[in-house]
PDB file of all heavy atoms in Angstrom:
ATOM      1  N   THR I  59      -6.754  17.083   1.699  1.00  0.00           N
ATOM      2  CA  THR I  59      -5.856  16.492   0.710  1.00  0.00           C
ATOM      3  C   THR I  59      -5.030  17.503  -0.076  1.00  0.00           C
ATOM      4  O   THR I  59      -4.207  17.105  -0.888  1.00  0.00           O
ATOM      5  CB  THR I  59      -6.673  15.652  -0.291  1.00  0.00           C
ATOM      6  OG1 THR I  59      -7.679  16.486  -0.886  1.00  0.00           O
ATOM      7  CG2 THR I  59      -7.342  14.479   0.413  1.00  0.00           C
ATOM      8  N   ASN I  60      -5.252  18.783   0.155  1.00  0.00           N
ATOM      9  CA  ASN I  60      -4.523  19.794  -0.628  1.00  0.00           C
ATOM     10  C   ASN I  60      -3.880  20.845   0.256  1.00  0.00           C
ATOM     11  O   ASN I  60      -4.181  22.043   0.141  1.00  0.00           O
ATOM     12  CB  ASN I  60      -5.474  20.471  -1.631  1.00  0.00           C
ATOM     13  CG  ASN I  60      -6.008  19.506  -2.665  1.00  0.00           C
ATOM     14  OD1 ASN I  60      -5.247  18.957  -3.453  1.00  0.00           O
ATOM     15  ND2 ASN I  60      -7.317  19.284  -2.649  1.00  0.00           N
ATOM     16  N   PRO I  61      -2.993  20.447   1.162  1.00  0.00           N
ATOM     17  CA  PRO I  61      -2.326  21.457   1.997  1.00  0.00           C
ATOM     18  C   PRO I  61      -1.420  22.337   1.145  1.00  0.00           C
ATOM     19  O   PRO I  61      -0.867  21.898   0.131  1.00  0.00           O
ATOM     20  CB  PRO I  61      -1.519  20.615   2.984  1.00  0.00           C
ATOM     21  CG  PRO I  61      -1.264  19.338   2.251  1.00  0.00           C
ATOM     22  CD  PRO I  61      -2.494  19.088   1.425  1.00  0.00           C
ATOM     23  N   SER I  62      -1.272  23.567   1.568  1.00  0.00           N
ATOM     24  CA  SER I  62      -0.399  24.496   0.851  1.00  0.00           C
ATOM     25  C   SER I  62       1.063  24.210   1.175  1.00  0.00           C
ATOM     26  O   SER I  62       1.388  23.508   2.129  1.00  0.00           O
ATOM     27  CB  SER I  62      -0.736  25.936   1.247  1.00  0.00           C
ATOM     28  OG  SER I  62      -0.395  26.166   2.612  1.00  0.00           O
ATOM     29  N   ALA I  63       1.942  24.789   0.371  1.00  0.00           N
ATOM     30  CA  ALA I  63       3.376  24.647   0.625  1.00  0.00           C
ATOM     31  C   ALA I  63       3.743  25.243   1.978  1.00  0.00           C
ATOM     32  O   ALA I  63       4.621  24.729   2.678  1.00  0.00           O
ATOM     33  CB  ALA I  63       4.168  25.317  -0.499  1.00  0.00           C
ATOM     34  N   GLN I  64       3.061  26.328   2.354  1.00  0.00           N
ATOM     35  CA  GLN I  64       3.335  26.953   3.652  1.00  0.00           C
ATOM     36  C   GLN I  64       2.976  26.008   4.791  1.00  0.00           C
ATOM     37  O   GLN I  64       3.701  25.902   5.784  1.00  0.00           O
ATOM     38  CB  GLN I  64       2.550  28.251   3.778  1.00  0.00           C
ATOM     39  CG  GLN I  64       2.757  28.973   5.099  1.00  0.00           C
ATOM     40  CD  GLN I  64       1.925  30.231   5.204  1.00  0.00           C
ATOM     41  OE1 GLN I  64       1.519  30.817   4.199  1.00  0.00           O
ATOM     42  NE2 GLN I  64       1.656  30.657   6.430  1.00  0.00           N
ATOM     43  N   VAL I  65       1.847  25.297   4.666  1.00  0.00           N
ATOM     44  CA  VAL I  65       1.434  24.343   5.699  1.00  0.00           C
ATOM     45  C   VAL I  65       2.437  23.205   5.800  1.00  0.00           C
ATOM     46  O   VAL I  65       2.839  22.802   6.900  1.00  0.00           O
ATOM     47  CB  VAL I  65       0.020  23.807   5.404  1.00  0.00           C
ATOM     48  CG1 VAL I  65      -0.288  22.573   6.246  1.00  0.00           C
ATOM     49  CG2 VAL I  65      -1.023  24.885   5.665  1.00  0.00           C
ATOM     50  N   VAL I  66       2.865  22.665   4.661  1.00  0.00           N
ATOM     51  CA  VAL I  66       3.821  21.560   4.681  1.00  0.00           C
ATOM     52  C   VAL I  66       5.141  22.016   5.298  1.00  0.00           C
ATOM     53  O   VAL I  66       5.766  21.282   6.081  1.00  0.00           O
ATOM     54  CB  VAL I  66       4.041  21.007   3.262  1.00  0.00           C
ATOM     55  CG1 VAL I  66       5.124  19.921   3.258  1.00  0.00           C
ATOM     56  CG2 VAL I  66       2.742  20.432   2.708  1.00  0.00           C
ATOM     57  N   ALA I  67       5.584  23.227   4.967  1.00  0.00           N
ATOM     58  CA  ALA I  67       6.829  23.738   5.546  1.00  0.00           C
ATOM     59  C   ALA I  67       6.706  23.882   7.058  1.00  0.00           C
ATOM     60  O   ALA I  67       7.637  23.554   7.801  1.00  0.00           O
ATOM     61  CB  ALA I  67       7.182  25.083   4.912  1.00  0.00           C
ATOM     62  N   SER I  68       5.560  24.360   7.540  1.00  0.00           N
ATOM     63  CA  SER I  68       5.346  24.504   8.983  1.00  0.00           C
ATOM     64  C   SER I  68       5.345  23.144   9.678  1.00  0.00           C
ATOM     65  O   SER I  68       5.924  22.985  10.761  1.00  0.00           O
ATOM     66  CB  SER I  68       4.023  25.226   9.252  1.00  0.00           C
ATOM     67  OG  SER I  68       4.052  26.541   8.738  1.00  0.00           O
TER      68      SER I  68
END
Side-chain angles (χ1 to χ4, degrees):
T59 56
N60 296 297
S62 67
Q64 180 182 337
V65 166
V66 176
S68 297

